[in-house]
Amino acid sequence: MDHNVIAAYSGGALPAAIGIVRLSGEGTLDVLSRIFHPRARTGFSERNKMLYGELSAADGRTLDLCMACVFRAPHSYTGEDMAELYTHGSEAVVAAALRACYAAGARPAEAGEFTKRAYLNGKMNLNEAEAVADLIYARTEQGAKNAAALLKGAVSGPLRDMRESLLTLISHFYAVCDYSDEDIEPFEYEQARARLTDCCARLDELYQGYLRSESVTEGTPVALIGRPNVGKSSLFNNVAGFDRAIVTAEAGTTRDVVDHRVTVAGRDLRLLDTAGLRQGVGEAETLGVRRSVEAARDAALIVAVFDGSEKLTDEDREVISLTDGKTAVAVLNKCDLGVRDDVREELEARFDDVLTLSAVTGEGRGALLDWLADHAPDFTQTLITGRRQAELIRQARDALTDAARSAEAGMTADAFLLDAERGANLIGQVLGEDVDIDIAQGIFDRFCVGK
């Protein structure tokens, strides 16, 4: 048996219309030829051509009539010879197909082993490999787009150029020192400082992007806050499009933060329905109120909900205080019951935007959706999302900051370039160069089997 060949199911949940069984490694064609018999006379002589044929089970009997395709090295995902079988997607067929692969010489693939081989064979760097995992587990459209950009090298490309620039700077200095008799351009200290400062700024931009990346991967958090029974949960359900939160006439129904993801005009939002803010309640509701305050503090956007038919209370004014310094809109709910002019005037004095709506009838819903779309961030910059990458980038930024400051203070180049070299090495670790094998393995352990 050739244990260099790995096999795994690579499709979605079964049963499905099509099941995908993937193989990779030297000897893949030998394994495939034992279990799949194409109808075409040319067989697998033509690269990347899908063929129709019979798939044999481990006992030699025909298991399925399906398609297969061969991807020859190095022009494949893993950089090795690969093949994929496209079977009918029943659990029985897929399980039997895998047993046939194992009987023919393959072994079960480990989690993420296909992508690990792609990394080891130079088909992608470690940063791009991590983007594959981000793409698989993307929970929002923006998150998927960001992961796809990372996979295309939107961040690793500039990082590689930055590292090369730093290494060129360092090697130039040592060349001047070691070959002083040669006709080499002198080392310019001011140019070195400027280059180090520029790299610091670019690395800091990447790190600051990581701090904002949760909004891309999870959706921009939008907290709905207000005192009990102003209609937060009804409004939450209205925007969500179904009854996600419990709505009753009893005050204090919501005891915890309820969240739901929605897409508004292409913006991915994470709606947070919170407990009504009030004092003198039981322990469970008090905890819910505390979490409401935390949700308001951490949210990117706040929808402050008020009962437009009633005078503002001390609890309403506490809600208003939570919006200080935040991007917030005041919503006068229950407009079907009428809206008090004094309430509108007071809110207009505190908020840039005041909307009137009815969560029950849906009147005014469009204006709120427009406000959310206008104020939710539209992420066009590709953001680092991995903690490992972000921490290395932060360390590289700090090392280059130290180098730039030393250069500005007039220290000798051999002193400040040590920090520059450390920064370049840290950038290399982001890309997977000289990275500890245990760290790399931990990254691939995130993957599902078959990817």
Side-chain angles (χ1 to χ4, degrees), residues 346-364:
E346 185 170 346
L347 292 178
E348 287 178 344
R350 296 294 303 270
F351 291 87
D352 292 333
D353 299 290
V354 178
L355 305 178
T356 302
L357 59 76
S358 170
V360 174
T361 66
E363 179 183 348

Side-chain angles (χ1 to χ4, degrees), residues 364-375:
R365 176 178 183 269
L368 176 59
L369 295 180
D370 289 342
W371 185 90
L372 292 171
D374 290 342
H375 291 81

